[in-house]
Amino acid sequence: MIKVGIIGTGGIAKCLQLRLQNIGWSVVFLVRRKTYSFNGAEHARNKMAISDLLDEANPDLVFLAISTLDRGEEAKNYIGHCARKGIPVVTCEKGALAYHAEALKPFFGLIGFTATVGGGTQLIGYLHDRLIPASEERVGVYSLTQRPSEDGTKGLIPFVNRRHVEIHAVINGTLNFVFDEVARGGRTLGEACDEAMKLGYAEPGAKDALSLINGELRDVVMKTCVLFNTTLARNEFITPSKLGAIELAPRQLEELNQKAADYRFVVSFSNRTAPKKRSFFNGNFEIAVGEWHIQGGFRQTHGDTDLASWLPGGVGNAVHIIEGELGSGGKYTLSGPGAGHEATTTVMQNDAERLLKHI
């Protein structure tokens, strides 16, 4: 029987616990913010350090299902404790890989991170399959090249096989849901935000349209970093501080409200020598990292036939890849659900099965 631990107490953690029990896996411990369950009893968190709990429970794998309430330090520490003991971790938390990819680089082969970006879409795996040579050694969840890093350790660093690649992505299902609802003509921006909160799509702390939009903008900045750090980075990782904070003021939100039906938040990565220049609504980021140019912001959909051809509906996420010089390698699109406990736990279970098979 496979033994697992779960760190987290929210909806995803509860859904995971039920799902794993249904497939016959044993949940040997459950860590909450102030208590933990182990050996059929409840204990105060200060009774045993997480490192000691891992030694006592000896799980085959740990699921990390906590919200990012800091800069990923808590999640980074959990991952580090597990990885140093050779225990694989499957996570849906974004802060650790957004802020601390450099520190976690030696452990990438022990981390299942598909659920951090794209929900049930599994777009990280799709990008790995398209951009990394099939001949590379398969380690961990996806095809990662095992090469010595600068500090002498054997880090797991993705290797991008193709030149002239453009990647465009919708990686926040909540923002997509809100603006899609307005575009369909049935709701105002405020009504769409209220519906997103009612359905449980919003980040923690959302109370109104402004806090919801700004919370999701912080989320998309972290996801941009995770997507780059786990898929495209070579020797240089990015953090949210490099992209800068995107936050709308009340006046800007009111202006966006007047145009909401014609905008979606899109993130683009390009290793073209001359990336296309695009106009964005107020609040966007644009940086160059190595061979990659990264842009993100509210893009106008009207008149952009290529964008309109792949944009997902509802709470969906999507990735659209254009390969080859002048698109000679073709266009490829993947889309799917971007939010929801069931979709996320399915991806986490898939990651767990892949890690246990290959490690």
Side-chain angles (χ1 to χ4, degrees):
M1 177 181 291
I2 295 173
K3 301 188 302 180
V4 301
I6 299 176
I7 300 173
T9 58
I12 292 175
K14 292 174 182 175
C15 190
L16 267 174
Q17 187 175 13
L18 180 60
R19 180 186 291 256
L20 297 174
Q21 289 171 344
N22 286 340
I23 64 172
W25 291 17
S26 174
V27 179
V28 292
F29 68 76
L30 178 62
V31 175
R32 304 176 181 86
R33 189 154 295 279
K34 294 183 179 180
T35 63
Y36 67 91
S37 302
F38 177 56
N39 279 342
E42 292 284 327
H43 309 276
R45 277 288 301 273
N46 59 6
K47 184 176 180 181
M48 183 182 294
I50 186 67
S51 182
D52 295 330
L53 178 59
L54 293 171
D55 287 337
E56 287 287 330
N58 192 28
D60 298 303
L61 180 140
V62 170
F63 289 95
L64 182 57
I66 63 175
S67 299
T68 304
L69 301 178
D70 52 13
R71 292 166 63 92
E73 287 90 353
E74 184 179 14
K76 173 201 163 195
N77 290 336
Y78 282 132
I79 293 171
H81 281 300
C82 293
R84 280 188 288 273
K85 295 179 182 295
I87 301 171
V89 181
V90 174
T91 181
C92 61
E93 192 276 341
K94 299 170 284 289
L97 289 166
Y99 286 98
H100 307 287
E102 183 71 28
L104 293 174
K105 176 175 65 176
F107 307 130
F108 272 17
L110 285 169
I111 306 172
F113 40 70
T114 310
T116 58
V117 182
T121 312
Q122 302 194 56
L123 60 84
I124 285 183
Y126 182 73
L127 286 172
H128 273 277
D129 288 344
R130 286 224 58 84
L131 300 179
I132 297 173
S135 60
E136 295 295 334
E137 181 181 2
R138 290 187 174 269
V139 180
V141 181
Y142 297 114
S143 307
L144 296 176
T145 304
Q146 197 166 22
R147 294 182 283 142
S149 59
E150 293 178 1
D151 60 5
T153 62
K154 246 189 174 182
L156 295 167
I157 306 173
F159 172 77
V160 177
N161 189 36
R162 296 174 175 86
R163 299 290 301 169
H164 298 291
V165 175
E166 288 185 40
I167 302 166
H168 307 285
V170 169
I171 54 178
N172 184 287
T174 304
L175 284 179
N176 197 72
F177 170 83
V178 167
F179 286 85
D180 186 52
E181 286 288 295
V182 177
R184 291 172 183 270
R187 298 181 189 271
T188 65
L189 184 64
E191 289 173 332
C193 288
D194 286 344
E195 184 69 8
M197 287 186 282
K198 190 181 303 181
L199 293 171
Y201 295 155
E203 288 291 300
K207 298 184 282 262
D208 52 30
L210 184 62
S211 61
L212 182 146
I213 297 293
N214 283 333
E216 301 305 326
L217 289 175
R218 289 189 291 273
D219 174 78
V220 80
V221 167
M222 282 196 292
K223 286 178 176 176
T224 300
C225 293
V226 174
L227 187 60
F228 180 83
N229 292 341
T230 60
T231 307
L232 304 177
R234 292 194 181 213
N235 299 315
E236 185 178 357
F237 297 99
I238 61 173
T239 64
S241 59
K242 287 188 177 182
L243 297 182
I246 300 181
E247 187 168 285
L248 298 182
R251 177 186 56 79
Q252 292 173 315
L253 182 62
E254 182 58 37
E255 183 183 351
L256 182 60
N257 179 43
Q258 304 303 317
K259 308 173 181 179
D262 198 25
Y263 280 86
R264 297 285 186 91
F265 202 101
V266 178
V267 178
S268 299
F269 306 84
S270 172
N271 65 4
R272 294 162 53 99
T273 54
K276 296 177 183 176
K277 291 294 182 182
R278 296 181 173 86
S279 59
F280 296 96
F281 180 80
N282 290 336
N284 65 285
F285 53 79
E286 183 170 355
I287 63 170
V289 185
E291 65 181 342
W292 290 98
H293 300 267
I294 306 171
Q295 300 174 326
F298 287 104
R299 275 177 55 183
Q300 189 173 30
T301 60
H302 181 70
D304 192 331
T305 55
D306 187 64
L307 178 61
S309 71
W310 63 267
L311 276 178
V315 71
N317 279 194
V319 61
H320 180 65
I321 306 172
I322 304 172
E323 295 183 3
E325 192 169 5
L326 301 178
S328 60
K331 298 179 180 181
Y332 308 89
T333 301
L334 175 74
S335 63
H341 298 160
E342 287 294 336
T344 301
T345 52
T346 295
V347 173
M348 294 180 78
Q349 181 185 339
N350 291 344
D351 266 4
E353 291 172 352
R354 281 191 288 259
L355 280 168
L356 291 172
K357 180 179 179 181
H358 291 293
I359 295 176

